[in-house]
Short mmCIF file of all heavy atoms in Angstrom, two decimals:
data_model
loop_
_atom_site.label_atom_id
_atom_site.label_comp_id
_atom_site.label_asym_id
_atom_site.label_seq_id
_atom_site.Cartn_x
_atom_site.Cartn_y
_atom_site.Cartn_z
N LEU A 1 -127.80 -50.97 -31.37
CA LEU A 1 -126.78 -51.70 -30.51
C LEU A 1 -126.64 -53.12 -30.92
O LEU A 1 -127.41 -53.65 -31.68
CB LEU A 1 -127.24 -51.60 -29.13
CG LEU A 1 -127.37 -50.11 -28.49
CD1 LEU A 1 -127.96 -50.13 -27.06
CD2 LEU A 1 -126.08 -49.31 -28.54
N PRO A 2 -125.63 -53.81 -30.38
CA PRO A 2 -125.41 -55.15 -30.87
C PRO A 2 -126.59 -56.07 -30.65
O PRO A 2 -126.89 -57.06 -31.58
CB PRO A 2 -124.21 -55.63 -29.89
CG PRO A 2 -123.44 -54.40 -29.65
CD PRO A 2 -124.50 -53.28 -29.57
N HIS A 3 -127.42 -55.96 -29.57
CA HIS A 3 -128.45 -56.83 -29.37
C HIS A 3 -129.63 -56.58 -30.26
O HIS A 3 -130.72 -57.28 -30.32
CB HIS A 3 -128.99 -56.83 -27.81
CG HIS A 3 -129.48 -55.44 -27.43
ND1 HIS A 3 -128.67 -54.60 -26.69
CD2 HIS A 3 -130.62 -54.87 -27.57
CE1 HIS A 3 -129.39 -53.49 -26.50
NE2 HIS A 3 -130.53 -53.68 -26.92
N ASP A 4 -129.58 -55.40 -31.06
CA ASP A 4 -130.65 -55.09 -32.06
C ASP A 4 -130.40 -55.77 -33.39
O ASP A 4 -131.34 -55.72 -34.22
CB ASP A 4 -130.63 -53.54 -32.28
CG ASP A 4 -131.06 -52.80 -31.00
OD1 ASP A 4 -131.91 -53.29 -30.20
OD2 ASP A 4 -130.52 -51.72 -30.75
N LEU A 5 -129.25 -56.33 -33.64
CA LEU A 5 -128.80 -56.76 -34.94
C LEU A 5 -129.41 -58.18 -35.26
O LEU A 5 -129.71 -59.00 -34.46
CB LEU A 5 -127.26 -56.80 -35.06
CG LEU A 5 -126.54 -55.57 -34.79
CD1 LEU A 5 -125.06 -55.81 -34.88
CD2 LEU A 5 -126.98 -54.53 -35.70
N ASP A 6 -129.60 -58.38 -36.56
CA ASP A 6 -130.02 -59.64 -37.04
C ASP A 6 -128.81 -60.33 -37.81
O ASP A 6 -127.60 -59.77 -37.76
CB ASP A 6 -131.19 -59.62 -37.96
CG ASP A 6 -131.03 -58.71 -39.22
OD1 ASP A 6 -129.82 -58.38 -39.45
OD2 ASP A 6 -132.00 -58.39 -39.94
N TYR A 7 -128.99 -61.38 -38.54
CA TYR A 7 -127.93 -62.08 -39.17
C TYR A 7 -127.27 -61.22 -40.34
O TYR A 7 -126.25 -61.55 -40.75
CB TYR A 7 -128.47 -63.38 -39.72
CG TYR A 7 -128.78 -64.44 -38.69
CD1 TYR A 7 -130.11 -64.79 -38.43
CD2 TYR A 7 -127.87 -64.95 -37.82
CE1 TYR A 7 -130.47 -65.70 -37.43
CE2 TYR A 7 -128.20 -65.89 -36.83
CZ TYR A 7 -129.56 -66.21 -36.67
OH TYR A 7 -129.84 -67.13 -35.65
N MET A 8 -128.00 -60.22 -40.86
CA MET A 8 -127.47 -59.48 -41.89
C MET A 8 -126.69 -58.21 -41.39
O MET A 8 -126.24 -57.39 -42.19
CB MET A 8 -128.65 -58.99 -42.90
CG MET A 8 -129.35 -60.21 -43.48
SD MET A 8 -130.55 -59.69 -44.64
CE MET A 8 -129.51 -58.96 -45.96
N GLY A 9 -126.65 -58.08 -40.07
CA GLY A 9 -125.86 -56.96 -39.49
C GLY A 9 -126.53 -55.69 -39.40
O GLY A 9 -125.91 -54.69 -39.13
N HIS A 10 -127.91 -55.68 -39.69
CA HIS A 10 -128.50 -54.42 -39.49
C HIS A 10 -129.70 -54.62 -38.40
O HIS A 10 -129.87 -55.72 -37.98
CB HIS A 10 -129.06 -53.79 -40.78
CG HIS A 10 -129.92 -54.77 -41.54
ND1 HIS A 10 -129.82 -54.88 -42.94
CD2 HIS A 10 -130.85 -55.62 -41.21
CE1 HIS A 10 -130.69 -55.72 -43.34
NE2 HIS A 10 -131.39 -56.17 -42.34
N MET A 11 -130.49 -53.59 -38.17
CA MET A 11 -131.44 -53.70 -37.04
C MET A 11 -132.55 -54.72 -37.49
O MET A 11 -133.12 -54.66 -38.53
CB MET A 11 -132.09 -52.25 -36.90
CG MET A 11 -132.95 -52.23 -35.68
SD MET A 11 -133.29 -50.44 -35.21
CE MET A 11 -134.57 -50.66 -33.95
N ASN A 12 -132.79 -55.60 -36.51
CA ASN A 12 -133.79 -56.60 -36.72
C ASN A 12 -135.20 -55.95 -36.85
O ASN A 12 -135.51 -55.00 -36.22
CB ASN A 12 -133.79 -57.51 -35.43
CG ASN A 12 -134.66 -58.73 -35.57
OD1 ASN A 12 -135.80 -58.62 -36.13
ND2 ASN A 12 -134.21 -59.78 -35.10
N ASN A 13 -136.02 -56.51 -37.80
CA ASN A 13 -137.25 -55.98 -38.13
C ASN A 13 -138.14 -55.89 -36.87
O ASN A 13 -138.85 -54.86 -36.72
CB ASN A 13 -138.03 -56.81 -39.16
CG ASN A 13 -137.30 -56.84 -40.51
OD1 ASN A 13 -136.47 -55.95 -40.77
ND2 ASN A 13 -137.65 -57.76 -41.33
N ALA A 14 -138.11 -56.89 -36.01
CA ALA A 14 -138.94 -56.85 -34.83
C ALA A 14 -138.62 -55.73 -33.87
O ALA A 14 -139.34 -55.32 -33.02
CB ALA A 14 -138.87 -58.24 -34.13
N ARG A 15 -137.27 -55.38 -33.89
CA ARG A 15 -136.77 -54.35 -32.89
C ARG A 15 -137.48 -52.99 -33.22
O ARG A 15 -137.65 -52.18 -32.22
CB ARG A 15 -135.27 -54.24 -33.07
CG ARG A 15 -134.51 -55.35 -32.39
CD ARG A 15 -134.63 -55.14 -30.83
NE ARG A 15 -133.92 -56.31 -30.16
CZ ARG A 15 -133.73 -56.39 -28.78
NH1 ARG A 15 -134.32 -55.39 -28.12
NH2 ARG A 15 -133.19 -57.40 -28.31
N TYR A 16 -137.89 -52.74 -34.43
CA TYR A 16 -138.50 -51.45 -34.72
C TYR A 16 -139.80 -51.37 -33.94
O TYR A 16 -140.07 -50.30 -33.38
CB TYR A 16 -138.85 -51.36 -36.26
CG TYR A 16 -137.64 -51.15 -37.14
CD1 TYR A 16 -136.81 -52.27 -37.54
CD2 TYR A 16 -137.23 -49.95 -37.54
CE1 TYR A 16 -135.61 -52.01 -38.42
CE2 TYR A 16 -136.15 -49.59 -38.47
CZ TYR A 16 -135.45 -50.77 -38.87
OH TYR A 16 -134.31 -50.57 -39.60
N LEU A 17 -140.56 -52.43 -33.92
CA LEU A 17 -141.89 -52.40 -33.21
C LEU A 17 -141.64 -52.25 -31.67
O LEU A 17 -142.39 -51.55 -31.01
CB LEU A 17 -142.63 -53.72 -33.47
CG LEU A 17 -142.93 -54.00 -34.92
CD1 LEU A 17 -143.65 -55.33 -35.12
CD2 LEU A 17 -143.73 -52.84 -35.62
N ARG A 18 -140.55 -52.88 -31.20
CA ARG A 18 -140.19 -52.81 -29.77
C ARG A 18 -139.85 -51.33 -29.46
O ARG A 18 -140.33 -50.77 -28.37
CB ARG A 18 -139.08 -53.65 -29.40
CG ARG A 18 -138.75 -53.91 -27.94
CD ARG A 18 -137.57 -54.75 -27.89
NE ARG A 18 -137.15 -55.07 -26.42
CZ ARG A 18 -137.38 -56.17 -25.81
NH1 ARG A 18 -138.06 -57.16 -26.38
NH2 ARG A 18 -136.98 -56.39 -24.58
N GLU A 19 -139.07 -50.72 -30.30
CA GLU A 19 -138.65 -49.33 -30.09
C GLU A 19 -139.94 -48.37 -30.08
O GLU A 19 -140.06 -47.50 -29.36
CB GLU A 19 -137.60 -48.87 -31.01
CG GLU A 19 -136.21 -49.47 -30.89
CD GLU A 19 -135.59 -49.20 -29.56
OE1 GLU A 19 -135.74 -48.00 -29.20
OE2 GLU A 19 -135.13 -50.13 -28.89
N CYS A 20 -140.82 -48.72 -30.98
CA CYS A 20 -142.06 -47.99 -31.05
C CYS A 20 -142.91 -47.99 -29.73
O CYS A 20 -143.55 -47.08 -29.34
CB CYS A 20 -142.94 -48.38 -32.28
SG CYS A 20 -142.29 -47.91 -33.87
N ASP A 21 -142.92 -49.23 -29.21
CA ASP A 21 -143.66 -49.39 -27.92
C ASP A 21 -143.09 -48.41 -26.89
O ASP A 21 -143.88 -47.71 -26.22
CB ASP A 21 -143.36 -50.88 -27.39
CG ASP A 21 -144.49 -51.82 -27.92
OD1 ASP A 21 -145.42 -51.34 -28.40
OD2 ASP A 21 -144.32 -53.03 -27.55
N PHE A 22 -141.79 -48.44 -26.71
CA PHE A 22 -141.15 -47.54 -25.65
C PHE A 22 -141.36 -46.06 -26.09
O PHE A 22 -141.58 -45.18 -25.18
CB PHE A 22 -139.74 -47.88 -25.47
CG PHE A 22 -139.44 -49.19 -24.94
CD1 PHE A 22 -138.60 -50.08 -25.62
CD2 PHE A 22 -140.05 -49.57 -23.78
CE1 PHE A 22 -138.38 -51.39 -25.15
CE2 PHE A 22 -139.78 -50.90 -23.26
CZ PHE A 22 -139.07 -51.77 -23.94
N ALA A 23 -141.33 -45.72 -27.28
CA ALA A 23 -141.59 -44.31 -27.70
C ALA A 23 -142.95 -43.90 -27.46
O ALA A 23 -143.19 -42.67 -27.05
CB ALA A 23 -141.23 -44.15 -29.25
N ARG A 24 -143.90 -44.82 -27.54
CA ARG A 24 -145.37 -44.39 -27.22
C ARG A 24 -145.44 -44.30 -25.68
O ARG A 24 -146.21 -43.36 -25.24
CB ARG A 24 -146.29 -45.46 -27.72
CG ARG A 24 -146.43 -45.44 -29.29
CD ARG A 24 -147.60 -46.19 -29.80
NE ARG A 24 -147.74 -47.57 -29.26
CZ ARG A 24 -147.14 -48.53 -29.93
NH1 ARG A 24 -146.47 -48.36 -31.01
NH2 ARG A 24 -147.16 -49.76 -29.39
N PHE A 25 -144.82 -45.12 -24.89
CA PHE A 25 -144.79 -44.92 -23.41
C PHE A 25 -144.37 -43.55 -23.09
O PHE A 25 -144.98 -42.85 -22.34
CB PHE A 25 -143.91 -45.92 -22.77
CG PHE A 25 -144.36 -47.41 -22.90
CD1 PHE A 25 -143.40 -48.42 -22.60
CD2 PHE A 25 -145.59 -47.73 -23.31
CE1 PHE A 25 -143.75 -49.70 -22.72
CE2 PHE A 25 -145.95 -49.07 -23.40
CZ PHE A 25 -145.08 -50.10 -23.08
N HIS A 26 -143.23 -43.14 -23.69
CA HIS A 26 -142.63 -41.89 -23.41
C HIS A 26 -143.60 -40.73 -23.84
O HIS A 26 -143.82 -39.77 -23.17
CB HIS A 26 -141.37 -41.74 -24.16
CG HIS A 26 -140.52 -40.54 -23.89
ND1 HIS A 26 -140.73 -39.34 -24.63
CD2 HIS A 26 -139.52 -40.20 -22.99
CE1 HIS A 26 -139.87 -38.44 -24.24
NE2 HIS A 26 -139.21 -38.98 -23.23
N TYR A 27 -144.18 -40.91 -25.02
CA TYR A 27 -145.04 -39.92 -25.61
C TYR A 27 -146.37 -39.78 -24.67
O TYR A 27 -146.72 -38.59 -24.48
CB TYR A 27 -145.49 -40.37 -26.99
CG TYR A 27 -146.39 -39.47 -27.76
CD1 TYR A 27 -145.95 -38.43 -28.41
CD2 TYR A 27 -147.86 -39.81 -27.80
CE1 TYR A 27 -146.86 -37.59 -29.13
CE2 TYR A 27 -148.71 -38.96 -28.52
CZ TYR A 27 -148.22 -37.82 -29.19
OH TYR A 27 -149.03 -37.09 -29.82
N TYR A 28 -147.00 -40.80 -24.35
CA TYR A 28 -148.22 -40.61 -23.49
C TYR A 28 -147.97 -40.11 -22.10
O TYR A 28 -148.82 -39.54 -21.53
CB TYR A 28 -148.97 -41.93 -23.41
CG TYR A 28 -149.42 -42.50 -24.82
CD1 TYR A 28 -149.26 -43.84 -25.16
CD2 TYR A 28 -150.07 -41.57 -25.68
CE1 TYR A 28 -149.77 -44.28 -26.41
CE2 TYR A 28 -150.55 -42.04 -26.88
CZ TYR A 28 -150.34 -43.38 -27.24
OH TYR A 28 -150.89 -43.87 -28.52
N MET A 29 -146.79 -40.40 -21.55
CA MET A 29 -146.45 -39.90 -20.30
C MET A 29 -146.19 -38.37 -20.28
O MET A 29 -146.71 -37.66 -19.40
CB MET A 29 -145.22 -40.72 -19.70
CG MET A 29 -145.52 -42.08 -19.19
SD MET A 29 -144.20 -42.77 -18.18
CE MET A 29 -144.38 -41.74 -16.72
N ARG A 30 -145.50 -37.94 -21.23
CA ARG A 30 -145.13 -36.50 -21.26
C ARG A 30 -146.39 -35.58 -21.71
O ARG A 30 -146.43 -34.43 -21.17
CB ARG A 30 -144.00 -36.27 -22.22
CG ARG A 30 -142.73 -36.87 -21.78
CD ARG A 30 -141.53 -36.30 -22.51
NE ARG A 30 -141.37 -34.88 -22.27
CZ ARG A 30 -140.58 -34.06 -23.05
NH1 ARG A 30 -139.84 -34.61 -24.06
NH2 ARG A 30 -140.47 -32.75 -22.80
N ASN A 31 -147.29 -36.07 -22.50
CA ASN A 31 -148.43 -35.22 -22.83
C ASN A 31 -149.54 -35.41 -21.98
O ASN A 31 -150.64 -34.86 -22.18
CB ASN A 31 -148.73 -35.46 -24.35
CG ASN A 31 -149.27 -36.82 -24.66
OD1 ASN A 31 -149.65 -37.60 -23.79
ND2 ASN A 31 -149.31 -37.11 -25.96
N GLY A 32 -149.45 -36.37 -21.00
CA GLY A 32 -150.58 -36.51 -19.96
C GLY A 32 -151.59 -37.50 -20.29
O GLY A 32 -152.53 -37.65 -19.49
N ILE A 33 -151.55 -38.22 -21.37
CA ILE A 33 -152.63 -39.17 -21.72
C ILE A 33 -152.67 -40.28 -20.76
O ILE A 33 -153.72 -40.80 -20.40
CB ILE A 33 -152.46 -39.53 -23.22
CG1 ILE A 33 -152.88 -38.52 -24.18
CG2 ILE A 33 -153.27 -40.90 -23.50
CD1 ILE A 33 -152.85 -38.82 -25.67
N PHE A 34 -151.47 -40.80 -20.33
CA PHE A 34 -151.40 -41.87 -19.42
C PHE A 34 -152.13 -41.50 -18.05
O PHE A 34 -152.95 -42.23 -17.55
CB PHE A 34 -150.09 -42.38 -19.16
CG PHE A 34 -149.64 -43.57 -20.02
CD1 PHE A 34 -148.24 -43.85 -20.17
CD2 PHE A 34 -150.48 -44.27 -20.78
CE1 PHE A 34 -147.85 -44.89 -21.00
CE2 PHE A 34 -150.05 -45.38 -21.56
CZ PHE A 34 -148.68 -45.60 -21.67
N ARG A 35 -151.79 -40.33 -17.68
CA ARG A 35 -152.38 -39.86 -16.45
C ARG A 35 -153.91 -39.70 -16.55
O ARG A 35 -154.73 -40.03 -15.63
CB ARG A 35 -151.82 -38.41 -16.00
CG ARG A 35 -152.30 -37.93 -14.67
CD ARG A 35 -151.64 -36.63 -14.40
NE ARG A 35 -151.98 -35.53 -15.34
CZ ARG A 35 -151.17 -35.01 -16.31
NH1 ARG A 35 -150.00 -35.52 -16.46
NH2 ARG A 35 -151.67 -34.07 -17.16
N THR A 36 -154.44 -39.22 -17.70
CA THR A 36 -155.83 -39.06 -17.88
C THR A 36 -156.52 -40.45 -17.99
O THR A 36 -157.64 -40.57 -17.54
CB THR A 36 -156.07 -38.25 -19.24
OG1 THR A 36 -155.29 -37.03 -19.12
CG2 THR A 36 -157.52 -37.98 -19.37
N LEU A 37 -155.79 -41.33 -18.70
CA LEU A 37 -156.45 -42.76 -18.69
C LEU A 37 -156.64 -43.30 -17.31
O LEU A 37 -157.65 -43.93 -17.02
CB LEU A 37 -155.50 -43.68 -19.50
CG LEU A 37 -155.46 -43.48 -21.08
CD1 LEU A 37 -154.37 -44.32 -21.67
CD2 LEU A 37 -156.76 -44.02 -21.69
N HIS A 38 -155.68 -43.14 -16.47
CA HIS A 38 -155.81 -43.62 -15.10
C HIS A 38 -156.94 -42.86 -14.39
O HIS A 38 -157.72 -43.57 -13.70
CB HIS A 38 -154.41 -43.22 -14.33
CG HIS A 38 -154.40 -43.76 -12.95
ND1 HIS A 38 -154.41 -45.05 -12.59
CD2 HIS A 38 -154.54 -43.03 -11.79
CE1 HIS A 38 -154.45 -45.17 -11.24
NE2 HIS A 38 -154.47 -43.97 -10.79
N SER A 39 -157.16 -41.62 -14.60
CA SER A 39 -158.23 -40.87 -13.95
C SER A 39 -159.59 -41.40 -14.40
O SER A 39 -160.55 -41.46 -13.64
CB SER A 39 -158.09 -39.39 -14.21
OG SER A 39 -156.94 -38.83 -13.81
N LEU A 40 -159.68 -41.86 -15.63
CA LEU A 40 -160.89 -42.31 -16.19
C LEU A 40 -161.01 -43.94 -15.97
O LEU A 40 -162.00 -44.51 -16.47
CB LEU A 40 -161.01 -42.06 -17.71
CG LEU A 40 -161.08 -40.52 -18.07
CD1 LEU A 40 -161.00 -40.35 -19.57
CD2 LEU A 40 -162.42 -40.00 -17.62
N ARG A 41 -160.09 -44.51 -15.41
CA ARG A 41 -159.99 -45.99 -15.14
C ARG A 41 -160.11 -46.64 -16.61
O ARG A 41 -160.72 -47.67 -16.71
CB ARG A 41 -161.02 -46.42 -14.29
CG ARG A 41 -161.00 -45.94 -12.83
CD ARG A 41 -161.94 -46.48 -11.93
NE ARG A 41 -161.75 -45.95 -10.58
CZ ARG A 41 -162.53 -46.31 -9.58
NH1 ARG A 41 -163.48 -47.13 -9.65
NH2 ARG A 41 -162.27 -45.83 -8.31
N ALA A 42 -159.46 -46.05 -17.57
CA ALA A 42 -159.37 -46.64 -18.93
C ALA A 42 -158.02 -47.10 -19.26
O ALA A 42 -157.08 -46.90 -18.51
CB ALA A 42 -159.94 -45.55 -19.93
N THR A 43 -157.91 -47.69 -20.37
CA THR A 43 -156.66 -48.21 -20.89
C THR A 43 -156.63 -48.22 -22.36
O THR A 43 -157.74 -47.99 -23.02
CB THR A 43 -156.25 -49.59 -20.31
OG1 THR A 43 -154.84 -49.94 -20.61
CG2 THR A 43 -157.20 -50.67 -20.87
#
């Protein structure tokens, strides 16, 4: 999207890491790891 772009008109390098953050949130929620971490009081 437009807010992902850098001065060269393609995706900003830092945006890749940000997208990876959200993808891991999604991943851990769907496979139950986040729920299990909460049960163990871990992070």
Side-chain angles (χ1 to χ4, degrees):
L1 300 176
H3 62 264
D4 297 321
L5 302 178
D6 61 13
Y7 292 110
M8 298 185 68
H10 54 221
M11 189 163 169
N12 188 319
N13 294 343
R15 283 289 178 175
Y16 288 84
L17 301 180
R18 189 182 182 103
E19 291 299 314
C20 285
D21 269 355
F22 294 124
R24 289 196 304 274
F25 294 164
H26 186 274
Y27 179 80
Y28 294 137
M29 287 196 66
R30 291 195 66 193
N31 65 15
I33 286 183
F34 267 163
R35 183 179 66 254
T36 307
L37 285 169
H38 181 73
S39 299
L40 295 171
R41 297 185 178 180
T43 188

